[in-house]
Amino acid sequence: MGNIFVGAVALMIKNRIPRPLVKTRLLLLLVTSFSFFWEAAYLVKAMVTRNGDLYFAGLDFLGEPTYGWQIAGVAVGIAFYLFTARWSFAALSDLWPDADSARSVSQTAWLSASVGAAVAALLYFGDGWRDFSDAVLEIGGSSFPLLFIPRKSVATATTAGPAQIRRPGMTIALSIIVYAIFVATLGHGLRY
């Protein structure tokens, strides 16, 4: 449920951030999208495979598994997933009305997050291949709709032009430092 909470908080904050703060709005948009995609896909997987925290929570609250609550869980997961895809497309198209620009930003964000999660999992001394596989599925696999922003904008008409994101060296350096700290402290961290 942490994904839903973090995604909802990011969504509420994003809606209050002024339009000129494009990087902040994009960060919050991506936090919401990745969180919601992950949770929606996980709900479907948990109900179909009869395994995972959400499935076991269903057992605790609803009793022995029945097809009824499993099918309801799958339906809720699919609906939430489709909502997230549509919302993500609209939010990106709102920042970049040109579909090609929105798609480029979305694909870059997806690739960066997927590779970042995969590399972090490879450097984590845990369950090896399983950690890597989980990272790739949870970030890259669950959020693959970010690769396919529709050619026709789903955002409402806006008078603003496309957002501009500058990449000053300080922002890139700070991002690398934060990522290195994340990887170094992930779970057991790097073993020296």
Side-chain angles (χ1 to χ4, degrees):
M1 300 315 287
N3 283 323
I4 292 175
F5 176 76
V6 168
V9 168
L11 175 60
M12 288 186 291
I13 294 170
K14 178 204 164 286
N15 290 337
R16 288 171 174 63
I17 298 292
R19 277 190 68 80
L21 299 175
V22 177
K23 286 191 269 187
T24 304
R25 289 175 62 90
L26 177 61
L27 171 67
L28 294 167
L29 181 160
L30 293 171
V31 167
T32 300
S33 296
F34 283 115
S35 296
F36 285 0
F37 276 129
W38 183 348
E39 198 60 36
Y42 180 72
L43 175 58
V44 172
K45 177 187 176 286
M47 293 301 120
V48 169
T49 63
R50 299 177 125 198
N51 190 14
D53 295 342
L54 293 176
Y55 176 77
F56 296 125
L59 285 177
D60 290 344
F61 291 108
L62 302 171
E64 284 303 309
T66 65
Y67 288 119
W69 65 260
Q70 286 178 269
I71 290 170
V74 168
V76 167
I78 291 171
F80 190 39
Y81 196 85
L82 294 174
F83 161 81
T84 302
R86 182 153 176 82
W87 176 84
S88 298
F89 297 164
L92 283 159
S93 296
D94 184 49
L95 287 175
W96 290 276
D98 170 46
D100 289 335
S101 296
R103 189 176 309 103
S104 176
V105 169
S106 184
Q107 290 171 346
T108 300
W110 179 88
L111 182 62
S112 299
S114 298
V115 170
V119 169
L122 286 174
L123 296 174
Y124 172 67
F125 292 97
D127 220 355
W129 176 250
R130 183 171 179 207
D131 293 329
F132 175 77
S133 173
D134 286 350
V136 169
L137 287 174
E138 290 165 356
I139 300 300
S142 68
S143 62
F144 80 92
L146 290 175
L147 294 172
F148 304 104
I149 301 295
R151 293 236 178 252
K152 183 178 178 190
S153 174
V154 293
T156 56
T158 178
T159 58
Q164 298 295 317
I165 295 182
R166 292 177 201 65
R167 296 181 188 95
M170 185 60 92
T171 301
I172 293 171
L174 182 59
S175 299
I176 291 170
I177 291 168
V178 168
Y179 179 73
I181 291 169
F182 166 73
V183 170
T185 60
L186 181 65
H188 302 294
L190 294 175
R191 294 184 182 170
Y192 300 101

